[in-house]
Amino acid sequence: MSSGHEAAFWADEEVRLLDPGRTHVVRDSKTPSGPVPISGLRGPIISDALFRTFKAHGLDVRFVYTIDDYDPMDSQSMKERAGMAEHMGKPLCMIPSPDPSVGTDFADYHATRFVALFAGLGITPEFHRMRDLYRSGELDRQIDLVLRNAETIRQVHKRIANVDHPKGWLPVAVICENCGRIGTTLATDYDGKTVAYECKRDYVEWAEGCGRKGRISPFKGNAKLLWNEQWCAQWDHFNVTYEEGGKDLLTAGGSRERSNEIYREVFKKEPPPGLQHEFFTFGGKKMASSKGIGAEALEIVGIYPPELVRFLMLRTHPKRHLEFDPAGLTLPRLVDEYDRAADAYREDPETDLAKTWRLSQVSPTPAAPGFRVRFTTVANWLQIPSIKPEAEAEKEKGARLTDAELSDLHGRLELARAWLQRWAPDEARFEVLDKTPPVELTREQRRYLFAIKALVGKVHDAAEMQNQLYEVAKNVGLVKADGTPSQDAFAAIYLAFLGKPKGPRAGWLLLSIEPERVRRRLDDLGRAA
Ligand SMILES: [Zn+2]
């Protein structure tokens, strides 16, 4: 019995959290501290899907994306890289670029590489860099508010997360005037205009301060708010009303809960709601830019078409764990699922699967999907030189391909080529052998190969050929106990032409090779009795 409550599509459910009478701001962010693994796209794609859904429900909504480039370099793995040790603890935007032709500094380099993927994926937020917000003084009001309420904030950290900051601690990090580090400074004693600070040698494990002491204004880019307080300042500055996030930040006593509490107590505002997405793992491990686990986003996006990257992130409910490993049959299975979603969209665009398909398209208002050739079939076609994929696809469709269908086919051919080169398991690869291979066949198998010669040049339809191959198998006695043809029958065909016992659909394989060549091979290996 059904409980009577049908859960709405996850993105539609989030709409209910928002007051239709006001302007809404969805926010997402990235700290550009290294190459971003593919898991780093789950957040932006979910945020974009929500942004599109909110708009489609008639809400007035903006999508803001901040590049948190004033954060200190604190990654242990970076410390071990050549030339990096001296930059530990500096703001990411004040560390030299690995390649100035890509980005002006370390943060700009990594942010540029990551954010460059967005447009192609149909993600088009407003971008804001934290360095610009701090240096322009746009966050000075929030910095002053936080500093005046430092003791309240200290209590929140103690209460929510059991973190005990020393008395007099200020939730702000000053950039040391001597060594340029921001992660090593402790600030105290705000007098309304300046703070006292010390660049401490042993303040953090990942960087060593220079010992400088002094007073400085915390405004106009001289300092940044610490993580939780910066988060509140961003919500306040942009009037954020919705923000989803990864589960690691959202656990009890975690970063999000602390920020929520500070926002309520100090900023006197209600924090934005937002769902938390589950972990995205690679071979069972959590991906992290700092640890170098998992495929880099840049690499996967360079191979997978954008709608498939979006589909990968959206087909799994955000609250469910997503495990991804591009190797093996992952790609053919993903494309098959994508095709099922496209079929669902053609049938009824209001089903969950259909909505997932629509949100996976680069355009928010996509054209309906057309005829598609199954990915595995495309991969098989690629492995037979005599096959002309366009002609074969038209045969399969029974009509000419539209421009969109042709372009879809070309995309699939390219994807299948990449898959065969990088990820396909051995059983998916084959090659029609020029010469008769030295294979061992049973007497029945040889009789079978002799018998099917009669079909060559007479049957021209792949499905019909497949049927006839079954019938002949029965006639020569290659049947299982239940009367269906035994594996040995088709294995004989694969062994004869591919030199291995498995392959693509046999009927199709035989039709894809010139009849004269097929007959010669069957003569070589077949026996009348
Ligand atoms: Zn210093």
Side-chain angles (χ1 to χ4, degrees), residues 36-88:
V36 182
I38 183 70
S39 58
L41 282 170
R42 194 176 193 191
I45 289 173
I46 289 173
S47 288
D48 180 66
L50 288 165
F51 168 63
R52 290 183 184 191
T53 304
F54 296 164
K55 267 217 293 212
H57 279 78
L59 293 175
D60 178 19
V61 56
R62 287 167 64 198
F63 182 10
V64 163
Y65 196 92
T66 63
I67 310 284
D68 295 352
D69 57 4
Y70 236 42
D71 290 2
M73 167 57 80
D74 62 0
S75 148
Q76 203 58 43
S77 62
M78 280 294 169
K79 191 176 181 176
E80 284 142 28
R81 294 202 187 174
M84 246 347 191
E86 59 169 308
H87 298 302
M88 294 304 293

Side-chain angles (χ1 to χ4, degrees), residues 176 179 199 210:
C176 173
C179 73
C199 183
C210 68

